[in-house]
């Protein structure tokens, strides 16, 4: 078992490597699963077929070996029965007739044969032929068996090879061209000083190739079928994931406020996707209506609440009791501030403008120069980085972060960097920082820490919430962390 933080755990390393190989997209995952499934199925089927082919080849080879051995034993009996003087005459007549099942020759000694490379099926055939010959000719002194290739086969004494013989002697018995086949050679001593030499082909001359399940002519149909199946799999997977990609793009555009035209999703593909597309379109319309109703509601609130608040302020001036008048004015000021804060929150987070390319140096440079003219210390180095978004909304979000840094930290530093697929903007102040348990609550409306109220008594605690809403609408992320060297660091991550 592996316990953290051990970094050398082989199981964890293997899991990390496998995780890197696992695609992130649905298209990649479905393609990988289907391709792997087809490959495993093909390999398993090929392995079963190869096993059956080898077993079949083994049975056929054993039967053919026994047939050849019985024929050879009959030929050996025939030549043993002939007088020695007639044997060469019979052999010559057989050659002139075109030969028989065997190429036959007589030698005074055993001829060494250069055998083919070791092969299990060839070895099995030689063993079967040897056992059958011993069974048919139990009194023979022994048999020398071997498989050889025609171009290296020695057939007579003084190193006479098969290629040195006239074609008429062997062309009807052995295969020499265009595709030579291995030749079975049987040598036995029929009497002292006389060796009978017999060479023959197996009933299936190319039995070694027929036993190979990975021969090119057998692999080609499998490769073609595998290619067709994989192509069909890719087409099916693509047809499944393409509507999902369209749905994802539409959801991302709507979430970032880039879908003002609200083009309907194409209702094509499977029944499940058509239902999903219809549900998404209905949800988008409901959300759009809700946003429009909310805007009208806050416009009404702005109109309806400011008038009675103003009237109440005027009437409070008519009160004779100064203490009571002051209490009324404080309550009305607080109410007025809350209404303005709510309206500002809606106004700053619902900015209707078209996305465009934003050069951060221009936006941040203007903000830094304005702060420096106001007497604040702000550090910034141009980066040459651009992002795509709503210029005014992003400017307000970054402006809120810079204002907070200057209000609560005296001086600020802004830095821009690039990471794979992300642009990072950091706004750091040099203030006292924020307690770790209070970081999460800084985004809540009207939440202000004691240090913030001392530094900026006119604020309402809405700036960070507005900034996060704008950055979230751009598909980004806003994080607040305490800097190791002191102060609060606001980290903005935007899509590159």
């Amino acid at each position: 078992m592996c316990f953290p933080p051990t970094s050398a755990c082989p199981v964890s390393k293997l899991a990390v490597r496998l995780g890197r190989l696992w695609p992130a997209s649905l298209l990649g995952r479905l393609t990988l699963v289907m391709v792997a499934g087809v490959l495993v199925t093909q390999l398993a089927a090929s392995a079963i077929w190869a096993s059956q082919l080898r077993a079949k080849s083994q049975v056929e080879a054993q039967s053919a070996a026994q047939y050849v051995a019985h024929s050879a034993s009959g030929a050996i009996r025939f030549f043993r029965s002939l007088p020695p003087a007639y044997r060469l005459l019979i052999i010559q007549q057989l050659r002139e007739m075109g030969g028989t099942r065997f190429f036959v020759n007589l030698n005074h000694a055993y001829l060494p044969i250069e055998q083919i490379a070791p092969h299990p099926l060839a070895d099995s055939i030689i063993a079967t032929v040897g056992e059958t010959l011993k069974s048919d000719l139990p009194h023979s002194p022994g048999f020398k068996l071997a498989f050889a290739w025609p171009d290296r086969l020695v057939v007579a004494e003084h190193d006479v090879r098969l290629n040195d013989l006239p074609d008429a002697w062997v062309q009807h018995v052995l295969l020499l061209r265009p595709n030579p086949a291995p030749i079975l050679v049987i040598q036995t001593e029929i009497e002292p000083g006389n060796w009978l030499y017999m060479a023959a082909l197996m009933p299936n001359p190319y039995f070694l190739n027929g036993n190979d399940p990975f021969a090119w002519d057998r692999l080609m149909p499998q490769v073609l079928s595998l290619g067709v199946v994989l192509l069909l799999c890719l087409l099916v997977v693509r047809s499944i994931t393409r509507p999902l990609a369209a749905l994802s793009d539409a959801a991302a555009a709507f979430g970032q406020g880039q879908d003002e035209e609200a083009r309907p999703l194409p209702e094509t593909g499977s029944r499940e996707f058509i239902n999903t597309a219809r549900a998404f379109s209905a949800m988008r319309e409901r959300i759009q209506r809700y946003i429009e109703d909310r805007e009208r509601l806050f416009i009404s609130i702005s109109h309806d609440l400011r008038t009675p608040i103003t009237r109440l302020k005027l009437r409070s001036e008519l009160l004779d009791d100064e203490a009571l008048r002051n209490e009324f004015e404080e309550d009305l000021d607080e109410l007025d501030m809350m209404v303005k804060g709510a309206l500002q929150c809606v106004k700053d987070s619902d900015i209707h403008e078209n996305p465009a390319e934003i050069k951060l140096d221009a936006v941040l440079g203007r903000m830094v120069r304005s702060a420096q003219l106001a007497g604040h210390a702000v550090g910034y180095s141009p980066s040459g980085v651009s992002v795509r978004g709503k210029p005014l909304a992003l400017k307000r979000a970054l402006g809120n972060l810079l204002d907070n840094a200057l209000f609560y930290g005296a001086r600020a530093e802004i830095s821009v960097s690039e990471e794979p697929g992300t642009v990072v903007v950091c706004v750091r102040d040099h203030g006292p920082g924020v307690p770790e348990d209070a970081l999460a609550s800084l985004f809540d409306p009207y939440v202000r820490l004691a240090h913030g109220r001392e530094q900026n008594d006119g604020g309402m605690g809405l700036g960070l919430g507005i900034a996060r809403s704008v950055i979230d609408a751009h598909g980004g992320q806003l994080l607040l962390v305490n800097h190791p060297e002191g102060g609060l660091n606001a980290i903005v991550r935007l899509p590159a």
Side-chain angles (χ1 to χ4, degrees):
M1 183 177 292
C2 301
F3 297 93
T6 303
S7 60
C9 176
V11 177
S12 60
K13 288 184 177 180
L14 179 61
V16 171
R17 292 175 182 174
L18 293 178
R20 292 175 180 174
L21 295 177
W22 186 244
S25 65
L26 180 60
L27 174 62
R29 291 183 177 182
L30 286 177
T31 302
L32 180 60
V33 170
M34 297 186 74
V35 169
V38 172
L39 287 177
V40 170
T41 303
Q42 284 281 59
L43 290 176
S46 298
I48 296 173
W49 176 67
S51 176
Q52 293 177 346
L53 180 62
R54 290 192 181 97
K56 180 181 178 182
S57 299
Q58 186 71 25
V59 173
E60 292 177 350
Q62 295 297 322
S63 176
Q66 292 177 358
Y67 167 75
V68 172
H70 291 312
S71 299
S73 62
I76 293 172
R77 290 193 192 97
F78 172 73
F79 280 99
R80 278 182 177 173
S81 64
L82 292 175
Y86 285 93
R87 293 171 183 165
L88 289 176
L89 180 61
I90 295 298
I91 292 174
Q92 186 63 31
Q93 290 177 350
L94 292 175
R95 291 173 180 172
E96 292 176 356
M97 293 170 56
T100 58
R101 181 74 178 77
F102 297 93
F103 168 78
V104 183
N105 195 22
L106 289 173
N107 299 300
H108 294 96
Y110 164 74
L111 299 181
I113 302 298
E114 186 177 351
Q115 301 187 35
I116 65 174
H119 193 283
L121 190 59
D123 297 339
S124 175
I125 291 175
I126 289 176
T128 302
V129 171
E131 292 176 1
T132 305
L133 288 174
K134 290 179 181 179
S135 176
D136 292 347
L137 303 171
H139 302 296
S140 293
F143 303 94
K144 302 291 186 181
L145 308 176
F147 275 103
W149 293 110
D151 57 340
R152 301 178 182 179
L153 181 59
V154 177
V155 296
E157 297 167 333
H158 309 296
D159 199 28
V160 177
R161 296 183 178 268
L162 188 62
N163 293 333
D164 300 331
L165 301 179
D167 289 343
W169 290 9
V170 294
Q171 63 181 356
H172 300 297
V173 179
L174 306 176
L175 288 175
L176 305 182
R177 62 182 69 87
N179 187 17
I183 298 172
L184 175 63
V185 179
I186 303 173
Q187 299 184 69
T188 183
E189 191 175 24
I190 56 177
E191 57 191 27
N194 287 325
W195 282 74
L196 182 64
Y197 180 103
M198 294 188 300
L201 295 173
M202 295 296 294
N204 175 17
Y206 303 104
F207 67 95
L208 294 181
N209 294 337
N211 179 56
D212 184 12
F214 301 106
W216 179 244
D217 59 338
R218 293 178 175 174
L219 283 180
M220 178 58 71
Q222 297 188 40
V223 172
L224 290 177
S225 64
L226 178 62
V228 171
V229 171
L230 292 183
L231 179 60
L232 294 177
C233 289
L234 291 177
L235 293 177
V236 171
V237 171
R238 182 60 180 166
S239 66
I240 294 174
T241 56
R242 183 181 298 170
L244 294 178
L247 177 61
S248 175
D249 294 339
F254 182 67
Q256 297 178 10
Q258 302 174 5
D259 194 26
E260 280 109 13
E261 297 181 3
R263 292 184 295 273
L265 283 172
E267 296 182 1
T268 58
S270 63
R271 179 179 59 188
E272 291 79 8
F273 175 76
I274 293 176
N275 294 335
T276 303
R278 291 174 179 173
F280 175 80
S281 299
M283 179 193 69
R284 180 170 57 183
E285 292 176 0
R286 289 196 299 270
I287 294 176
Q288 192 65 39
R289 287 196 302 268
Y290 166 75
I291 293 175
E292 294 173 356
D293 293 342
R294 190 183 67 164
E295 290 179 354
R296 287 193 294 268
L297 173 63
F298 276 93
I299 291 174
S300 300
I301 291 175
S302 175
H303 178 270
D304 295 341
L305 288 184
R306 287 181 180 274
T307 301
I309 290 176
T310 303
R311 288 201 304 265
L312 288 174
K313 285 186 176 181
L314 292 175
R315 290 175 181 175
S316 65
E317 296 293 335
L318 302 177
L319 294 176
D320 296 331
D321 190 342
E322 182 177 358
L324 181 61
R325 183 173 63 248
N326 291 336
E327 291 179 0
F328 266 102
E329 290 178 351
E330 289 179 2
D331 291 340
L332 290 174
D333 289 339
E334 183 178 353
L335 179 61
D336 188 29
M337 184 179 66
M338 293 177 64
V339 171
K340 289 180 179 179
L343 294 175
Q344 180 187 359
C345 180
V346 175
K347 180 180 177 182
D348 287 351
S349 58
D350 287 347
I351 299 177
H352 299 284
E353 54 180 331
N354 294 326
E357 184 179 359
I358 304 172
K359 296 183 178 180
L360 292 179
D361 288 342
V363 174
L364 295 174
R366 285 195 295 269
M367 293 193 311
V368 169
R369 287 192 295 272
S370 299
Q372 290 174 346
L373 290 176
H376 298 288
V378 182
Y380 175 68
S381 298
S383 62
V385 177
S386 299
V387 296
R388 184 169 181 80
K390 298 181 178 181
L392 184 57
L394 195 58
K395 180 181 177 181
R396 287 184 178 178
L398 296 176
N400 286 347
L401 298 179
L402 180 59
D403 291 341
N404 278 357
L406 295 177
F407 276 129
Y408 310 131
R411 61 189 179 94
E413 295 176 358
I414 303 177
S415 62
V416 179
S417 61
E418 288 185 289
E419 296 179 358
T422 307
V423 174
V424 181
V425 181
C426 295
V427 181
R428 179 201 170 190
D429 63 47
H430 289 263
V434 175
E436 294 293 336
D437 57 351
L439 285 173
S441 63
L442 291 180
F443 295 106
D444 296 339
Y446 309 111
V447 172
R448 305 180 66 212
L449 302 182
H451 174 71
R453 291 192 297 269
E454 295 173 359
Q455 297 292 327
N456 181 19
D457 56 359
M460 292 176 287
L462 298 173
L464 289 178
I466 294 172
R468 186 173 68 171
S469 298
V470 171
I471 293 170
D472 288 345
H474 281 76
Q477 184 182 24
L478 173 59
L479 299 176
L480 299 179
V481 296
N482 286 312
H483 197 277
E485 298 179 3
L488 185 66
N489 194 18
I491 302 174
V492 177
R493 296 183 180 272
L494 295 171

